[in-house]
Amino acid sequence: MSCSNPHLVHSKADIPRHVAIVMDGNGRWAKKRFMPRFFGHKAGVDSLVKTVLACADRGIDYLTVYAFSSENWRRPTEEVTGLMGLVLVAVAKYLTKLADKGVRIRIVGDRTQVSDKLRAAWEQAETLTRDNNRITLSVCFNYGGRWDIVQACRQAIADGVLANELDEDKLARYMALAHAPDPDLFIRTGGEVRVSNFLLWQAAYSEFVFTDCLWPDFGDAELDAALAAFARRDRRFGGVKDAATHAESLQSA
Ligand code: IPE
Ligand code: IPE
Ligand code: MG
């Protein structure tokens, strides 16, 4: 089942370099089918694999997805255990395919709280794909934007960076997503209009698209709708649309 109407193709110049997605709505997708939530998470993995390849096809260089938040530990133990197990299944099922398609995989988040098996699967995924350059998929797992800011500060302090030397550029180098530019387009599926502790630092000037589409239903049509919305946005980064014209009008005023 797909959610929304197809949208027009747009020019390469309008394609975001980095897309970030809060993949929300798996549980509700399963509930609608009278199935357990885990069924929705499994379908969510398939949706992720399709989406990363669709992004690569459209010339997007970086896709960053929110797979498990720092706060998702608050879920029932059986759901958390199911999600951890699903990562292992997903790596076994899809890693070779993604590697063959030129996807570079990075795992972003606090690895200290997960099992040795999971850490090993992630290391395998990162090692196997490290020389790929078609698209970089960053999977945020046990990740929170606040965790990231704190861990970056801790690393900077541990490196001996002095308070008066620390600035935005320097701190950014310690952030967990330092391998990627800031996201241009931030998509959240599942109908909630909130950030839920994702990319608090990096999304300072992202364009936001919220869709009611539940993550397992996300496909080409929804992606193209989000890209079309992005192409229509007027990004100013705090400046003015046409800086030269604005300066002239100020002079003549
Ligand atoms: C997102 O889907 C996946 C994870 C948070 C792991 P949800 O599980 O939050 O699904 P809903 O929001 O309850 O439908
Ligand atoms: C955000 O979704 C986290 C992920 C998609 C991994 P949640 O379902 O956990 O967020 P809230 O609880 O609705 O804010
Ligand atoms: Mg949710």
Side-chain angles (χ1 to χ4, degrees):
M1 197 205 294
S2 85
C3 285
S4 148
N5 47 337
H7 275 241
L8 295 174
V9 178
H10 24 81
S11 83
K12 174 87 185 150
D14 293 326
I15 293 286
R17 188 151 179 242
H18 184 176
V19 175
I21 308 183
V22 179
M23 308 183 290
D24 196 23
N26 295 348
R28 281 163 284 162
W29 185 90
K31 195 173 175 199
K32 270 169 68 182
R33 287 159 181 78
F34 307 101
M35 297 295 281
R37 294 176 60 82
F38 183 72
F39 184 69
H41 295 314
K42 254 179 84 185
V45 172
D46 298 337
S47 199
L48 170 58
V49 171
K50 275 188 259 162
T51 302
V52 67
L53 298 178
C55 286
D57 284 346
R58 285 157 179 75
I60 293 160
D61 293 329
Y62 297 87
L63 173 67
T64 298
V65 295
Y66 207 9
F68 191 88
S69 75
S70 312
E71 290 76 33
N72 285 150
W73 296 100
R74 294 176 187 157
R75 295 186 178 207
T77 314
E78 68 177 62
E79 183 171 351
V80 171
T81 312
L83 283 164
M84 301 292 157
L86 186 57
V87 176
L88 298 175
V89 172
V91 169
K93 190 170 172 193
Y94 289 118
L95 178 58
T96 314
K97 176 178 174 169
L98 292 176
D100 289 349
K101 298 272 186 188
V103 178
R104 177 172 73 135
I105 298 174
R106 299 291 296 258
I107 311 298
V108 174
D110 183 355
R111 298 187 191 207
T112 60
Q113 285 168 300
V114 303
S115 70
D116 290 347
K117 255 185 164 173
L118 204 54
R119 259 194 303 274
W122 286 336
E123 276 157 29
Q124 184 197 4
E126 289 184 329
T127 307
L128 187 72
T129 63
R130 78 178 152 212
D131 296 325
N132 287 348
N133 57 13
R134 186 159 166 237
I135 186 168
T136 297
L137 170 66
S138 301
V139 179
C140 295
F141 198 100
N142 195 19
Y143 170 91
R146 289 180 173 181
W147 163 82
D148 195 8
I149 293 167
V150 171
Q151 71 78 29
C153 293
R154 281 187 172 168
Q155 276 194 68
I157 293 165
D159 266 2
V161 176
L162 298 174
N164 62 359
E165 293 168 357
L166 192 64
D167 58 17
E168 291 180 16
D169 285 345
K170 194 161 257 174
L171 191 60
R173 280 183 240 143
Y174 290 97
M175 305 293 291
L177 265 173
H179 58 274
D182 284 347
D184 304 292
L185 172 60
F186 181 122
I187 301 171
R188 180 169 184 148
T189 63
E192 310 295 355
V193 186
R194 56 179 170 250
V195 168
S196 300
N197 200 13
F198 193 39
L199 305 179
L200 297 182
W201 173 278
Q202 297 85 349
Y205 274 100
S206 300
E207 297 297 329
F208 284 75
V209 169
F210 294 96
T211 167
D212 289 337
C213 180
L214 302 174
W215 175 247
D217 287 333
F218 193 86
D220 285 346
E222 280 294 324
L223 177 62
D224 287 332
L227 294 176
F230 176 80
R232 290 192 298 271
R233 300 281 170 88
D234 174 20
R235 303 185 81 190
R236 291 189 292 276
F237 301 95
V240 286
K241 193 173 179 187
D242 184 337
T245 313
H246 184 66
E248 277 162 27
S249 67
L250 281 180
Q251 267 169 9
S252 59

